[in-house]
Amino acid sequence: MKNQYLDYAVSFFNKLNLGTNIVNVGEPLPDDIDLGLRKAIMSKKTESILDFEGISQSFIDQHIIYMLTDIYSCHSIIIPIPEQELNTALFVGPYLTEISGIHRTIAICDKLGIPKNLRVFINQFFATIPSISDSSVLEAFLETLGENIYGPGQFKIEYLKQQESGDAEYLPTMDKDNYEDIMERLEYRYQLEEKVIDCISRGDFNAAMKYSTDQAITNIDNRSTNTLRSKKNNMLAFNTICRKGAERGNVHPVHLDEMSRRMAILIENMTSPNQVQDVHREILKKYCNMVQRNSTTGYSPTMQKVINHIMLSLTDTDLTLQSTADSLGLNKSYLATLFKKETGKTFTTYVNDKRIDHAIFLLNSSDLQVQEIASSCGIPDVTYFTRIFKKEKGMTPKQYRKMLSQK
């Protein structure tokens, strides 16, 4: 295999979080080729690629690419590397093609006669390996790779499903040391979560997107056997991570509660697993935008108290510069100067902006009449409310709601 194609293939699979190993096809496979699963649950048994039933002894020369499914429903790919001194192949995997919930894990264990003491470990193992929901993407890539390496029509892709032999010897219990690989992947997931939280706390959408699309994050919950339900569970867990990020970014709980509830509704309204990527992106963008607009990070302690007071009092029609100064024991003139210095806005302009933000949320998420929304935003005069709304959004509240209904 030409080096550039090998490097390209390895880079592609690694971006999907799939493990890659160059192996000598006639030698025993390394213990970590399956991320340590068999080493952890089986008596010592060495095997090479050629020990897999159905693999041709001359698959290197015949240019056969194998897509394997083992007895645990884990998938892997074997790509022959021609023109080498030793018979070598690129081993890719393992990965799943569907999220394996606890019920499916139990069914696999019952079928294979795996002791109950090992089932929690196996379910943890399934939860930490990548899941590729659309294997046709991999197949298309392998077709393209094969054409460039071996030439059009000079290779073939074969599919093999490993059959249970009945002679597997499973350990009755497992040495705690064998948990290390799984624990490392769990630690990796929590490190990713921390990176996502940190990025959101800074409103950095691009960096948060980079870390949050890792399989370790997108496959958080694997307990449900229903694909759509499992996807929703993962997204709800992701919503919690995003909320933590915004909270760290010093966004007021009023905003956090509204956003969290709104995103939960968005998630529950999903009708297909295919919507996950779009919903994931929208949730992340909403939280990052919210941090950029509402974070109190960078404000002085006094101004943070002022902003928190405003957010808790938005529905109060008597919310004024004077009432805020009195509530916090500040001089009115001092507060006006400090407010303008730190926010770049007057007190009234800032409050109106936040009230319009809340109005937009209500227009998006409720069927309340405009009059009711105006009152909920602390502006009972609907004419004045409509005027400042139009100044901010370029249209009236009714026009804005009509626009939403047409999307």
Side-chain angles (χ1 to χ4, degrees):
M1 186 184 295
K2 297 177 182 178
N3 286 339
Q4 66 265 32
Y5 294 125
L6 176 60
D7 293 342
Y8 181 77
V10 169
S11 177
F12 173 82
F13 292 124
N14 287 344
K15 281 183 169 57
L16 294 177
N17 298 305
L18 301 183
T20 54
N21 290 272
I22 302 293
V23 297
N24 186 327
V25 301
E27 294 183 353
L29 293 169
D31 287 335
D32 62 353
I33 198 76
D34 61 354
L35 302 180
L37 175 63
R38 286 165 179 79
K39 178 184 177 183
I41 66 174
M42 298 180 69
S43 299
K44 184 68 175 177
K45 180 181 180 182
T46 59
E47 58 183 8
S48 71
I49 284 178
L50 296 178
D51 290 325
F52 283 87
E53 184 177 354
I55 289 186
S56 170
Q57 296 288 317
S58 58
F59 81 96
I60 300 286
D61 296 330
Q62 294 176 0
H63 303 162
I64 301 174
I65 298 174
Y66 288 105
M67 298 190 76
L68 305 178
T69 304
D70 68 15
I71 57 176
Y72 308 102
S73 295
C74 294
H75 302 269
S76 55
I77 302 168
I78 300 174
I79 304 172
I81 305 177
E83 302 175 2
Q84 301 292 309
E85 184 176 346
L86 298 174
N87 285 338
T88 55
L90 178 64
F91 189 100
V92 182
Y95 63 93
L96 302 175
T97 54
E98 60 180 292
I99 294 176
S100 183
I102 185 63
H103 297 297
R104 189 164 178 268
T105 300
I106 292 173
I108 290 172
C109 291
D110 285 343
K111 179 181 178 181
L112 299 177
I114 297 175
K116 292 183 178 180
N117 289 339
L118 302 178
R119 294 182 180 183
V120 171
F121 170 82
I122 292 173
N123 197 56
Q124 289 176 332
F125 172 82
F126 286 145
T128 58
I129 66 175
S131 177
I132 309 296
S133 59
D134 187 1
S135 59
S136 65
V137 174
L138 292 177
E139 293 167 0
F141 176 78
L142 293 175
E143 289 280 357
T144 304
L145 188 67
E147 289 174 358
N148 282 277
I149 295 171
Y150 317 108
Q154 301 301 309
F155 72 98
K156 57 182 176 178
I157 298 175
E158 292 192 358
Y159 303 82
L160 287 179
K161 187 170 184 178
Q162 185 182 22
Q163 301 299 317
E164 182 189 356
S165 63
D167 61 354
E169 297 181 10
Y170 293 101
L171 299 172
T173 57
M174 186 170 48
D175 191 323
K176 290 183 179 180
D177 291 340
N178 288 328
Y179 273 100
E180 288 183 1
D181 288 340
I182 297 296
M183 292 303 105
E184 284 180 4
R185 288 194 292 279
L186 289 174
E187 289 174 6
Y188 172 67
R189 191 186 85 195
Y190 292 124
Q191 289 170 1
L192 278 178
E193 287 184 9
E194 179 63 25
K195 289 179 179 179
V196 173
I197 289 171
D198 181 63
C199 291
I200 294 173
S201 74
R202 295 182 277 107
D204 188 342
F205 170 77
N206 290 330
M209 192 70 181
K210 172 186 173 182
Y211 293 120
S212 66
T213 51
D214 192 297
Q215 290 283 349
I217 292 287
T218 58
N219 188 17
I220 295 172
D221 188 310
N222 79 333
R223 291 171 292 180
S224 174
T225 57
N226 179 279
T227 301
L228 179 58
R229 181 65 262 168
S230 186
K231 296 291 186 184
K232 288 183 178 181
N233 289 345
N234 283 327
M235 294 308 298
L236 289 170
F238 180 62
N239 187 31
T240 300
I241 292 173
C242 291
R243 179 188 172 114
K244 290 179 180 178
E247 184 177 14
R248 183 178 295 180
N250 290 323
V251 173
H252 194 275
V254 169
H255 293 302
L256 294 176
D257 288 343
E258 287 184 356
M259 183 62 72
S260 180
R261 183 170 61 251
R262 185 174 171 184
M263 294 303 98
I265 292 171
L266 176 68
I267 292 166
E268 290 300 340
N269 285 339
M270 287 169 52
T271 57
S272 167
N274 295 330
Q275 296 174 282
V276 166
Q277 289 185 345
D278 289 339
V279 172
H280 176 103
R281 186 179 184 86
E282 182 172 353
I283 290 174
L284 195 57
K285 186 172 264 317
K286 294 287 188 184
Y287 274 100
C288 287
N289 287 342
M290 181 176 67
V291 170
Q292 292 171 10
R293 293 194 314 268
N294 300 297
S295 175
T296 59
T297 300
Y299 290 125
S300 66
T302 298
M303 184 54 64
Q304 289 182 5
K305 291 179 181 179
V306 172
I307 290 174
N308 287 338
H309 174 80
I310 290 172
M311 298 315 305
L312 289 171
S313 308
L314 276 181
T315 60
D316 185 355
T317 57
D318 295 325
L319 176 61
T320 63
L321 180 66
Q322 184 66 64
S323 68
T324 301
D326 291 343
S327 295
L328 299 177
L330 300 171
N331 177 272
K332 178 182 175 181
S333 297
Y334 167 76
L335 177 57
T337 302
L338 181 68
F339 205 96
K340 180 69 173 179
K341 177 182 177 182
E342 295 203 25
T343 68
K345 300 177 181 180
T346 66
F347 182 91
T348 301
T349 299
Y350 183 90
V351 169
N352 284 341
D353 287 347
K354 296 305 174 185
R355 282 172 165 164
I356 295 305
D357 284 346
H358 185 56
I360 289 171
F361 169 75
L362 293 175
L363 287 167
N364 275 275
S365 60
S366 74
D367 296 323
L368 294 173
Q369 298 296 315
V370 173
Q371 176 66 64
E372 295 174 293
I373 291 175
S375 296
S376 297
C377 294
I379 309 176
D381 185 341
V382 71
T383 301
Y384 177 62
F385 170 74
T386 300
R387 185 165 69 250
I388 63 172
F389 189 97
K390 186 174 182 179
K391 180 181 179 181
E392 176 69 22
K393 304 302 295 183
M395 63 184 77
T396 67
K398 289 183 178 180
Q399 290 170 334
Y400 182 85
R401 174 166 275 170
K402 184 178 180 180
M403 177 192 70
L404 292 175
S405 65
Q406 293 173 345
K407 287 187 177 181

